[in-house]
Amino acid sequence: SHIPYRDSKLTRLLQESLGGKAKTVIIATLSPSAMAIDETISTLEYAFRAKTIKNQPLQNQKQSKNILMKEFMTELESLRTQLQNTREKVGVYLKPAEYADMEAKIRAHECQLGECETMLKLRTEELKTVKSERDELTNK
């Protein structure tokens, strides 16, 4: 959700905290002096507007060492398999879904290429016809 910020240095400094996913506390300090009434009113208005901002703080996720090690071992095994296939010149391993997706894209591109070639032939014939008609008109 977009939060319109007041154009001030304080708001720019606090922008991440005010609209982010952290708990934020703002303490508005006021002056009891009548000479500072404008600043006091401005501070109160700012604090009121900041109070209406709602954010949803999230706790940082901690990953255990075991989970990280398991993920790293899985990735390492996958990389070892790919390296072995490359050394044996077996090729690059693709998951069946990725391979099918690539094949479908190739077929679609071949179809599109065929259509483009057909359109090119038609346009070339049209161009020849227009040129011959132009030549006939200019020769008369």
Side-chain angles (χ1 to χ4, degrees):
S1 67
H2 175 69
I3 300 168
Y5 291 102
R6 187 174 85 162
D7 193 21
S8 73
K9 291 179 184 177
L10 177 62
T11 304
R12 293 292 166 218
L13 288 172
L14 296 174
Q15 185 171 357
E16 290 296 317
S17 297
L18 291 174
K21 297 182 179 191
K23 288 185 179 181
T24 307
V25 176
I26 294 181
I27 299 173
T29 56
L30 309 173
S31 172
S33 170
M35 292 174 52
I37 191 77
D38 290 337
E39 285 186 32
T40 300
I41 291 172
S42 175
T43 301
L44 287 171
E45 288 173 350
Y46 179 79
F48 180 76
R49 281 194 305 272
K51 184 177 112 177
T52 62
I53 296 171
K54 301 290 182 208
N55 56 3
Q56 298 172 340
L58 295 176
Q59 186 175 9
N60 291 338
Q61 300 289 326
K62 292 184 180 179
Q63 289 187 331
S64 70
K65 290 179 184 178
N66 292 337
I67 294 173
L68 284 174
M69 286 301 292
K70 189 181 240 183
E71 289 175 2
F72 288 146
M73 293 303 289
T74 304
E75 184 177 359
L76 182 62
E77 190 58 39
S78 171
L79 291 172
R80 282 183 180 154
T81 303
Q82 289 177 14
L83 179 61
Q84 187 64 30
N85 288 340
T86 302
R87 284 182 179 160
E88 294 175 359
K89 299 193 189 291
V90 173
V92 178
Y93 174 75
L94 291 176
K95 295 176 183 167
E98 291 176 6
Y99 182 75
D101 186 43
M102 286 178 60
E103 291 246 318
K105 286 180 182 177
I106 290 171
R107 283 192 296 275
H109 286 135
E110 287 174 346
C111 181
Q112 194 175 21
L113 180 62
E115 291 173 2
C116 288
E117 287 174 344
T118 303
M119 291 299 292
L120 179 63
K121 287 178 185 176
L122 289 173
R123 297 287 184 237
T124 304
E125 291 299 320
E126 287 179 23
L127 181 63
K128 286 179 184 177
T129 304
V130 169
K131 281 184 178 180
S132 66
E133 290 175 358
R134 182 196 64 191
D135 291 342
E136 286 177 17
L137 290 174
T138 55
N139 289 338
K140 287 185 179 182

